[in-house]
Amino acid sequence: HGLLGEVWDDEMSSSRLSSRMKKVVQNYQAMNKYGVKLSGPAGGTRRLKLSGPELLCQLKRKVEVLSLTSDLHPFSMLPWASQLPAQQLTSELGPLKSCAVVSSAGSLRHSGLGKEIDSHDAVMRFNAAPTSGFEKDVGSKTTMRLINSQVMASEEYRFLSSSLYSSGVLVAWDPAPFSSDLTQWLNRTDYPIFAQYQRYRRLHPQQPFFILHPRFEWQVWQQVQENMAESIQKNPPSSGFLGTVLMMSLCEVVHVYEFLPSKRKTELCHYYQHFYDAACTLGAYHPLLYEKNLVKRMNQGADRDIYTHGRVTLPGFNAINC
Ligand code: C5P
C-alpha cells in the first residue's frame, strides 16, 4: 500500500498544489479568455460522483470527434477550402484495434516502454515529441501526431522544415471561442493555424492532415467540468487528453502512457528536453489536473500498471455497452 499510495488520487485538487502553482491555477480559473458560459453552480458542477463505467458512457454520449471538411461553412467559401479533407477524420482513420497514446512526460525517460508501445496497431504522439534517439523508451511508430497551433506557428518548432512532422497523420487544433462560432474563430485564432495549414499542405500534399472542430475541444472540456467538485480552468483541455478521447473514438482499446505518472514521476517536463517544471504534469493553463482525475476514474487497468508502467487502460467507445 505504501507504494500504491504514490499513484494518482482521483480527488486531486488545486488546494493540494504548492502555493506558487496554486496562484497560477487560480489566476487561470478566474480568467475567461474564451468566453466560457457555464449553466451549473459556480464552484464546479458535479452533483454526484459517477462510477468509471458511468463516466465512460457519458463521455461516449456527449462528445463527438468532429473535424473541418472542405464543404463546411464558412470554410467552404474560402479560396483554400479544397485543401481541407473532404471526409471526417473518424471515417478515414477508424476502426482500429489496439492503440497507444504517448504523453510527452519526463517520466517516460528510462521507462523501457518502447517495444510495448510499438506493439499497438496505432500510436499517437504529441506536438514536437521525437522518437529518434528515444526509441527504447517511447518506441518508433507514429501513426498520428496531434499538434497545437503554437507548434505550427512558432519559429522554434520548425513546423514547415522539420522532418519530425512528416510521418503519419497530422491532426491540429487551436483554442477557439467557447461558442464554437467558426467565423469568430477564423478571425481570432490563438495562433495563425490556417495560414500555416495552407503552407504545410502545399509542401506535403500527400500527407493526411485534419483540423479539429472547436466544438470537440469544448465538449471534452464540459465533461471534465461537469464531473469535478470545483471549477476548473476555463481553457481547452491539453493535447494529451484531447488525443486520448480522439483515440477512444477510433480504437477498441487505448493504453495511455505516463499521463498518470508512474514511480518514475519527475518534474522533468518532457522526456526530450532538459527543462523542469511541475506545471507540465499538474497543469497551469490547461485543466490538466482534472483531466487526470477523470482518466483515473475511467481506468480499467490496475493501479500497479500505473505505478510500474505509467499505463492506463481505457475501452474504446465502440467496445462499451451503455
Ligand atoms: O507538452 P505537450 O502538450 O506537448 O505534451 C503532450 C501531452 O502530454 C500534454 O498535453 C499532457 O496531456 C501530457 N503531459 C503530461 N505531463 C507532462 C508532459 C506532458 O501529462 N509532464
Side-chain angles (χ1 to χ4, degrees):
H1 279 102
L3 293 184
L4 295 182
E6 302 278 303
V7 167
W8 190 271
D9 173 359
D10 72 19
E11 290 282 345
M12 180 62 181
S13 141
S14 61
S15 67
R16 284 199 258 157
L17 296 172
S18 69
S19 61
R20 179 187 72 87
M21 280 204 50
K22 209 181 296 176
K23 274 184 206 131
V24 176
V25 169
Q26 280 166 355
N27 247 325
Y28 279 117
Q29 282 166 333
M31 218 184 289
N32 193 356
K33 181 174 178 189
Y34 306 102
V36 171
K37 282 196 194 75
L38 256 179
S39 39
T45 44
R46 182 174 88 189
R47 253 161 258 139
L48 75 179
K49 192 175 174 180
L50 299 186
S51 69
E54 286 169 332
L55 276 175
L56 287 163
C57 284
Q58 198 183 65
L59 204 58
K60 174 178 175 168
R61 198 170 62 244
K62 299 212 173 162
V63 173
E64 184 190 12
V65 178
L66 259 186
S67 57
L68 305 184
T69 48
S70 48
D71 62 352
L72 179 69
H73 185 84
F75 297 95
S76 53
M77 322 239 292
L78 303 174
W80 57 274
S82 62
Q83 289 189 316
L84 288 168
Q87 304 294 327
Q88 281 295 321
L89 178 160
T90 44
S91 66
E92 298 282 288
L93 299 177
L96 296 159
K97 284 206 174 88
S98 69
C99 298
V101 172
V102 187
S103 86
S104 304
S107 48
L108 278 159
R109 244 174 204 267
H110 309 302
S111 68
L113 287 166
K115 276 208 184 100
E116 175 173 329
I117 289 170
D118 277 350
S119 73
H120 293 79
D121 297 317
V123 177
M124 169 172 271
R125 302 183 193 276
F126 298 98
N127 296 318
T131 52
S132 175
F134 303 95
E135 291 88 348
K136 221 172 157 289
D137 294 330
V138 304
S140 57
K141 185 191 280 189
T142 303
T143 316
M144 272 171 253
R145 184 177 291 273
L146 181 57
I147 56 177
N148 61 43
S149 52
Q150 184 176 6
V151 166
M152 291 172 71
S154 294
E155 267 322 310
E156 57 188 294
Y157 295 102
R158 314 232 160 279
F159 177 61
L160 297 175
S161 55
S162 167
S163 62
L164 183 59
Y165 307 99
S166 55
S167 54
V169 175
L170 288 175
V171 184
W173 72 279
D174 173 79
F178 184 73
S179 65
S180 297
D181 180 318
L182 297 175
T183 304
Q184 258 182 43
W185 179 39
L186 196 51
N187 293 320
R188 206 190 62 190
T189 56
D190 258 15
Y191 291 89
I193 181 174
F194 300 119
Q196 289 296 86
Y197 181 79
Q198 291 166 62
R199 292 193 185 106
Y200 191 92
R201 293 287 282 155
R202 258 179 262 128
L203 295 169
H204 305 267
Q206 300 307 321
Q207 189 180 5
F209 193 169
F210 296 88
I211 299 178
L212 291 174
H213 192 299
R215 193 183 303 156
F216 169 67
E217 73 203 42
W218 289 113
Q219 281 176 346
V220 173
W221 182 89
Q222 220 152 344
Q223 282 315 294
V224 180
Q225 177 61 87
E226 276 182 24
N227 289 289
M228 294 300 138
E230 61 191 51
S231 82
I232 72 171
Q233 291 95 318
K234 295 186 182 73
N235 297 322
S238 71
S239 296
F241 191 54
L242 291 175
T244 299
V245 177
L246 193 159
M247 290 308 249
M248 290 170 80
S249 312
L250 296 177
C251 312
E252 224 163 85
V253 64
V254 180
H255 289 130
V256 189
Y257 291 93
E258 293 288 3
F259 185 67
L260 303 186
S262 68
K263 62 184 177 186
R264 293 176 295 277
K265 85 171 168 233
T266 168
E267 292 199 356
L268 179 65
C269 182
H270 294 126
Y271 67 83
Y272 54 88
Q273 270 176 341
H274 294 283
F275 171 68
Y276 289 80
D277 187 351
C280 296
T281 302
L282 298 173
Y285 169 86
H286 295 293
L288 185 58
L289 177 75
Y290 307 102
E291 301 166 15
K292 295 188 184 204
N293 287 347
L294 212 59
V295 166
K296 178 73 199 299
R297 284 157 63 187
M298 295 189 296
N299 178 32
Q300 296 191 329
D303 276 2
R304 192 136 260 297
D305 296 344
I306 300 175
Y307 186 71
T308 59
H309 290 67
R311 181 180 66 218
V312 153
T313 304
L314 299 170
F317 292 137
N318 282 327
I320 54 179
N321 287 315
C322 298

